[in-house]
């Protein structure tokens, strides 16, 4: 398949990442089919694409997009609760919860539903692509396409080939990433690839330093911003990406590598188990994030 053959982009999972990916694909001119098991999540996703903090309305207000283009962009996005609606999709990006068994179940269904030439990409933060590819027959047309949060804003896409990904699939994924206005960089297929291994070390270290009393949550965030020029600190970042996602990643990296410094800290587990899984506005059903749990003013 060539880039010009790609007309319809499927996105599976309409949560924090999926809705942003759908927005980027629609803005690049593609028809988008956005699938989630939850009607409520789909409704929220469309609201966020239209008028969320990184949504189209903001672009119109900033003069970066006309109102007509924003309307046309919204009209290109269809939503569905059934994977069957992806039968005509040319390129499918999976962005469901970070759970290997769930993802594999979805890939095996997609492998049967989707056109034989369609490419299936996973936005997993760190599950090995060669492992996820075991769920499909089309291993040559299966690839890792790791986006960053917020998807409409962050420029990098980490492109990860599984052991059997074809050159054609890799090249098309790179070209499509550029068409989306992103900068694709290849990373090797190992647990966490490059970016997730790197960021996990930083996040869990911040939680451990907080647990040891070396710094408070707000203070650690502020120190990272002021000392290193980071746009946000580690606790703010976890609130944004989801504490549940951060926990999954730490558990997975620790399980795969047995390296102690990747292991999930207790406090992170405690918050996730208590329903504090991140920013309430971005994560439906969440009771809040670090700042809410500890009652800290930003
Ligand atoms: P999320 O929890 O916000 O969204 C996941 C969505 O998947 C939910 O809306 C859920 O209803 C849906 N879902 C679950 N089972 C489904 C099924 N069977 N069919 C269709 N939809 C289903 O999670 P997220 O933060 O968007 O993460 C999604 C993926 O992206 C994960 O693999 C994560 O590791 C990865 N990722 C996350 C970030 C981040 O910052 N949050 C960044 C890069 C990559």
């Amino acid at each position: 398949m060539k880039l010009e053959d790609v007309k319809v982009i499927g996105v599976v999972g309409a949560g924090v990442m999926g809705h942003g990916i759908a927005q980027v694909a629609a803005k690049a001119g593609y028809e988008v089919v956005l699938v989630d098991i939850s009607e409520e999540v789909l409704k929220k996703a469309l609201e966020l694409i239209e008028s969320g903090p990184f949504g189209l309305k903001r672009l119109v207000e900033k003069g970066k997009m006309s109102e007509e283009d924003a309307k046309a962009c919204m009209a290109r996005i269809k939503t569905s609760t059934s994977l069957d609606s992806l039968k005509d999709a040319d390129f499918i990006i999976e962005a469901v919860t970070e759970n290997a068994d769930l993802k594999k179940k979805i890939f095996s269904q997609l492998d049967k539903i989707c056109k034989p030439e369609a490419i299936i990409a996973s936005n997993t933060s760190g599950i090995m692509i060669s492992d996820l590819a075991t769920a499909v027959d089309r291993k040559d047309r299966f690839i890792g396409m790791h986006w960053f949060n917020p998807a409409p804003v962050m420029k990098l896409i980490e492109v990860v080939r599984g052991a059997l990904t074809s050159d054609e699939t890799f090249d098309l994924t790179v070209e499509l990433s550029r068409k989306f206005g992103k900068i694709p960089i290849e990373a090797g297929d190992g647990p966490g690839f490059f970016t997730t291994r790197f960021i996990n070390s930083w996040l869990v270290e911040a939680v451990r330093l907080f647990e040891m009393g070396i710094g408070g949550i707000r203070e650690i965030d502020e120190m990272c911003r002021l000392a290193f020029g980071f746009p946000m600190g580690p606790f703010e970042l976890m609130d944004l990406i989801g504490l549940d996602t951060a926990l999954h990643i730490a558990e997975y990296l620790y399980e795969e590598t047995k390296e102690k410094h990747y292991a999930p800290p207790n406090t992170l587990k405690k918050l996730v188990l208590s329903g504090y899984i991140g920013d309430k506005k971005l994560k439906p059903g969440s009771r809040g994030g670090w700042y809410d749990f500890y009652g800290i003013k930003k």
Side-chain angles (χ1 to χ4, degrees), residues 15-17 36 41 95-96 98 103 123 125 147 149 241 283:
V16 172
M17 293 308 290
D36 202 287
V41 170
V96 304
E98 185 78 346
K103 285 182 191 283
N123 181 46
S125 300
W147 296 61
N149 190 9
I241 66 173
K283 302 278 291 184

Side-chain angles (χ1 to χ4, degrees), residues 11-19 21 35-38 41-42 80-81 83 94-99 102-103 105-106 109 122-127 145-150 196 237-238 240-242 244-246 248-249 277 282-284:
V11 180
V12 188
V16 172
M17 293 308 290
H19 86 268
I21 295 171
V35 178
D36 202 287
I37 36 165
S38 155
V41 170
L42 286 170
S80 168
T81 51
L83 289 177
E94 165 278 318
V96 304
T97 320
E98 185 78 346
N99 174 311
L102 171 69
K103 285 182 191 283
K105 203 175 122 207
I106 290 171
Q109 284 173 268
S122 177
N123 181 46
T124 173
S125 300
I127 302 169
M145 192 186 199
H146 184 202
W147 296 61
F148 296 85
N149 190 9
T196 300
L237 184 62
M238 281 184 270
L240 179 76
I241 66 173
D244 50 348
T245 301
H248 272 303
I249 292 166
I277 57 170
L282 296 171
K283 302 278 291 184

Side-chain angles (χ1 to χ4, degrees), residues 1-297:
M1 191 167 34
K2 300 252 177 306
L3 184 64
E4 50 274 24
D5 301 324
V6 179
K7 308 274 187 241
V8 181
I9 305 283
V11 180
V12 188
V16 172
M17 293 308 290
H19 86 268
I21 295 171
Q23 176 181 322
V24 172
K27 188 166 173 279
Y30 292 100
E31 295 295 324
V32 175
V33 182
L34 178 59
V35 178
D36 202 287
I37 36 165
S38 155
E39 288 278 10
E40 189 201 333
V41 170
L42 286 170
K43 190 167 162 266
K44 177 96 187 157
L46 289 179
E47 279 168 22
L48 286 170
I49 294 171
E50 193 163 25
S51 49
F54 310 105
L56 301 174
K57 207 168 157 193
R58 280 283 295 270
L59 296 178
V60 173
E61 281 163 8
K62 285 186 185 163
K64 289 185 173 169
M65 196 182 204
S66 72
E67 219 162 320
E68 297 74 61
D69 284 350
K71 270 195 190 131
C73 189
M74 285 308 293
R76 282 195 289 275
I77 305 172
K78 308 277 177 298
T79 59
S80 168
T81 51
S82 163
L83 289 177
D84 290 334
S85 58
L86 296 173
K87 64 178 178 12
D88 296 323
D90 303 297
F91 196 103
I92 297 100
I93 304 164
E94 165 278 318
V96 304
T97 320
E98 185 78 346
N99 174 311
D101 291 338
L102 171 69
K103 285 182 191 283
K104 284 183 190 175
K105 203 175 122 207
I106 290 171
F107 291 136
S108 131
Q109 284 173 268
L110 287 175
D111 204 21
K112 293 183 189 81
I113 293 166
C114 297
K115 300 191 285 197
E117 65 274 24
I119 291 173
I120 302 176
S122 177
N123 181 46
T124 173
S125 300
I127 302 169
M128 282 183 71
I129 298 306
S130 306
D131 179 13
L132 294 177
T134 58
V136 295
D137 286 336
R138 61 181 86 199
K139 299 187 194 333
D140 55 330
R141 274 151 293 136
F142 189 88
I143 193 158
M145 192 186 199
H146 184 202
W147 296 61
F148 296 85
N149 190 9
V153 177
M154 302 308 282
K155 283 284 175 204
L156 177 66
I157 290 187
E158 195 176 27
V159 183
V160 183
R161 320 167 63 126
L164 300 173
T165 306
S166 69
D167 290 344
E168 199 187 311
T169 297
F170 176 77
D171 293 345
L172 190 130
T173 306
V174 163
E175 285 174 52
L176 187 63
S177 303
R178 292 201 180 110
K179 184 91 195 289
F180 287 157
K182 304 295 180 190
I183 298 166
I185 298 183
E186 183 178 5
D189 190 20
F193 321 128
F194 165 72
T195 51
T196 300
R197 247 168 131 129
F198 181 82
I199 202 76
N200 180 72
S201 306
W202 184 60
L203 296 179
V204 298
E205 183 64 10
V207 179
R208 287 203 186 96
L209 293 175
F210 163 66
E211 287 173 345
M212 286 160 68
I214 301 284
I217 286 173
R218 184 154 50 89
E219 288 73 16
I220 290 176
D221 277 345
E222 230 170 347
M223 282 193 270
C224 287
R225 276 189 268 105
L226 296 174
F228 309 120
F230 293 160
M232 60 180 82
F235 295 96
E236 291 164 323
L237 184 62
M238 281 184 270
D239 282 359
L240 179 76
I241 66 173
L243 274 65
D244 50 348
T245 301
L247 178 63
H248 272 303
I249 292 166
E251 281 171 346
Y252 176 73
L253 287 181
Y254 180 58
E255 229 166 75
E256 290 291 309
T257 62
K258 300 287 180 288
E259 303 235 23
K260 249 166 87 183
H261 68 272
Y262 289 132
N266 281 335
T267 318
L268 177 61
K269 274 192 204 166
K270 188 173 79 177
L271 263 67
V272 172
L273 290 170
S274 317
Y276 285 79
I277 57 170
D279 188 318
K280 275 187 247 179
K281 289 192 281 306
L282 296 171
K283 302 278 291 184
S286 174
R287 302 178 78 171
W290 290 98
Y291 283 77
D292 302 289
F293 184 82
Y294 288 99
I296 304 164
K297 279 219 172 88

